[in-house]
Amino acid sequence: MPLPKLLYLCINDGSDTRINKEIKTLATSFDIVYLGIGRDDSKAFAKPYCRSFHLVQGHHKSPSTLFRYFFTFIKLYFSNRLASIHVINEQLLLIFFPFLWWSRSKVVADIFDSIFLRTNKAWVRSLQSIIYSLPKAIIVTDDNRKTLVPQAFHNKTWVVENFPYAFADVQSKAAPDTELLILYSGSLGVTRGTNLLNDLIHYSPTIKIWMVGWVYDEPTRQLSQHPQVTFWGVKTQQETMQLASACDYILSLYEPINDNNLNASPNKIYDAIQARTPVIINAEIKIADFVAQNHLGYVMESYYAKQVAEIANDLLRLKNQFVFTPSFLHTYTWEAIEHKLLQAHH
């Protein structure tokens, strides 16, 4: 007997770590019809778990790409008997609102990069109650993010945390005791720590950087070409975890420019637990308190801290001082919480 169909709507090419975990879990109960945007499917790690995989060629900010994306959605929406519709972030809820409204009993909204937390424009925020009234369930990535959802929608809001799969293939640290090796992964840009890393490698030739992920701006592209930097491209989560476990630190900085960044729920913190590699995080981010309380890494006093020599010396001095609580290895795993994703759909 065939599984019921689920339409998974996003603007990713199938390489995103969170999306891959979700697809793999949802594929145990649904035949996945995936609709995303990308230049090619060479890094579409989610594709093997999908019944059908549709990637609109182009960039998600291109009007012509969005036009083709819209009409591909129309085709898939009307040609498939859908049991559920999984929508990543509010923008797509807004674009497809008239169609999704008729199927609202099937819609699950997955909010891990909220447009309402990235802007202070009153007219944008005024749309939140309208948009959130549409889905039968809203998914957020931690309890703190749930408090940012309007109280009226708390009864249909699910917390599905950003935990990684359990990881046992821990590598030996690659850098000698007198050097530092820092992993810079995920979305790579000037709001995520590029400037600090530039300062660190110019301060000392003994500081090396491994970069993994998506480069979003020119300063970060230039950083990737520095002789003290190795750029690995886009990797699977397991490959990234192997690299992380060989490093001394995982960079997890967020410039405090909006509520979305201040309330970031980075998977890197939980990656750090599984990889046994501490994070570097800035104190402005709320989850930095969790890092400090559990000795999971180095908390910078500010994203804008300028004491590069002090930071470099602290990182070198402390790099072997972090001990990870054994119980965390079982608690903070995707396997422990993935059932909540299926419950949100059922």
Side-chain angles (χ1 to χ4, degrees):
M1 184 175 179
L3 293 173
K5 286 186 178 180
L6 180 149
L7 179 59
Y8 194 100
L9 295 175
C10 66
I11 58 171
N12 185 259
D13 61 2
S15 63
D16 180 81
T17 297
R18 167 91 178 189
I19 286 173
N20 270 272
K21 288 183 294 188
E22 291 188 340
I23 291 290
K24 189 174 180 180
T25 295
L26 291 169
T28 63
S29 295
F30 297 95
D31 280 339
I32 308 296
V33 179
Y34 185 98
L35 178 57
I37 295 175
R39 301 197 183 281
D40 63 71
D41 63 0
S42 61
K43 297 295 183 181
F45 308 125
K47 187 175 181 179
Y49 301 103
C50 299
R51 173 69 176 268
S52 63
F53 188 87
H54 306 269
L55 200 64
V56 176
Q57 299 290 310
H59 192 276
H60 68 272
K61 292 185 179 180
S62 164
S64 64
T65 301
L66 292 175
F67 183 81
R68 286 181 285 115
Y69 184 86
F70 182 86
F71 280 97
T72 305
F73 163 79
I74 298 298
K75 178 182 177 181
L76 295 174
Y77 180 79
F78 285 107
S79 63
N80 287 281
R81 186 175 181 179
L82 300 171
S84 202
I85 304 173
H86 191 100
V87 185
I88 301 296
N89 293 326
E90 300 104 340
Q91 296 94 315
L92 295 181
L93 287 173
L94 180 61
I95 292 171
F96 299 124
F97 192 95
F99 301 95
L100 296 178
W101 182 258
W102 290 107
S103 303
R104 57 189 182 276
S105 63
K106 304 175 182 178
V107 176
V108 173
D110 194 352
I111 314 298
F112 53 87
D113 188 19
S114 175
I115 189 174
F116 299 118
L117 298 180
R118 289 193 279 117
T119 182
N120 289 318
K121 293 180 179 177
W123 72 270
V124 175
R125 294 213 169 191
S126 68
L127 296 172
Q128 188 171 22
S129 291
I130 298 173
I131 296 299
Y132 282 15
S133 68
L134 189 156
K136 67 172 182 179
I138 299 169
I139 293 173
V140 294
T141 51
D142 62 31
D143 290 324
N144 176 55
R145 301 279 282 205
K146 183 176 180 178
T147 67
L148 303 174
V149 173
Q151 185 69 38
F153 304 107
H154 277 202
N155 64 335
K156 65 175 182 179
T157 301
W158 293 75
V159 177
V160 180
E161 294 87 347
N162 228 350
F163 300 162
Y165 286 107
F167 180 75
D169 192 17
V170 177
Q171 308 294 301
S172 299
K173 298 301 182 187
D177 289 342
T178 56
E179 297 182 4
L180 279 177
L181 179 58
I182 301 172
L183 183 74
Y184 186 26
S185 61
S187 299
L188 312 174
V190 293
T191 64
R192 296 295 181 88
T194 292
N195 293 336
L196 173 67
L197 295 179
N198 261 320
D199 291 342
L200 287 172
I201 59 177
H202 285 102
Y203 169 74
S204 173
T206 65
I207 298 176
K208 306 293 196 303
I209 311 297
W210 283 358
M211 291 175 62
V212 182
W214 302 267
V215 174
Y216 279 91
D217 50 50
E218 181 59 24
T220 308
R221 188 191 68 79
Q222 292 180 13
L223 173 68
S224 71
Q225 297 178 341
H226 192 279
Q228 288 167 238
V229 176
T230 301
F231 181 53
W232 295 87
V234 177
K235 297 288 186 181
T236 66
Q237 182 184 24
Q238 292 299 98
E239 290 170 333
T240 302
M241 292 288 282
Q242 286 182 328
L243 294 172
S245 68
C247 291
D248 298 308
Y249 291 94
I250 300 170
L251 194 73
S252 186
L253 298 187
Y254 290 80
E255 188 173 8
I257 52 176
N258 55 41
D259 287 340
N260 196 53
N261 282 7
L262 289 169
N263 295 280
S265 183
N267 60 290
K268 298 181 188 70
I269 291 172
Y270 308 106
D271 290 350
I273 294 169
Q274 295 297 323
R276 286 69 149 181
T277 299
V279 295
I280 303 168
I281 194 168
N282 49 307
E284 295 97 335
I285 309 308
K286 289 186 179 180
I287 204 166
D289 292 339
F290 174 77
V291 172
Q293 291 165 8
N294 293 284
H295 309 290
L296 299 177
Y298 178 75
V299 181
M300 291 173 50
E301 65 180 31
S302 171
Y303 180 90
Y304 305 106
K306 297 298 183 183
Q307 302 86 3
V308 177
E310 180 181 333
I311 293 171
N313 291 333
D314 282 349
L315 292 174
L316 185 61
R317 174 175 56 85
L318 296 170
K319 76 172 190 172
N320 295 316
Q321 304 301 310
F322 298 94
V323 179
F324 295 91
T325 304
S327 63
F328 283 11
L329 297 175
H330 306 289
T331 302
Y332 298 110
T333 67
W334 181 253
E335 291 93 334
I337 55 90
E338 64 178 327
H339 65 278
K340 294 193 286 185
L341 175 62
L342 293 171
Q343 288 173 343
H345 277 274
H346 293 306

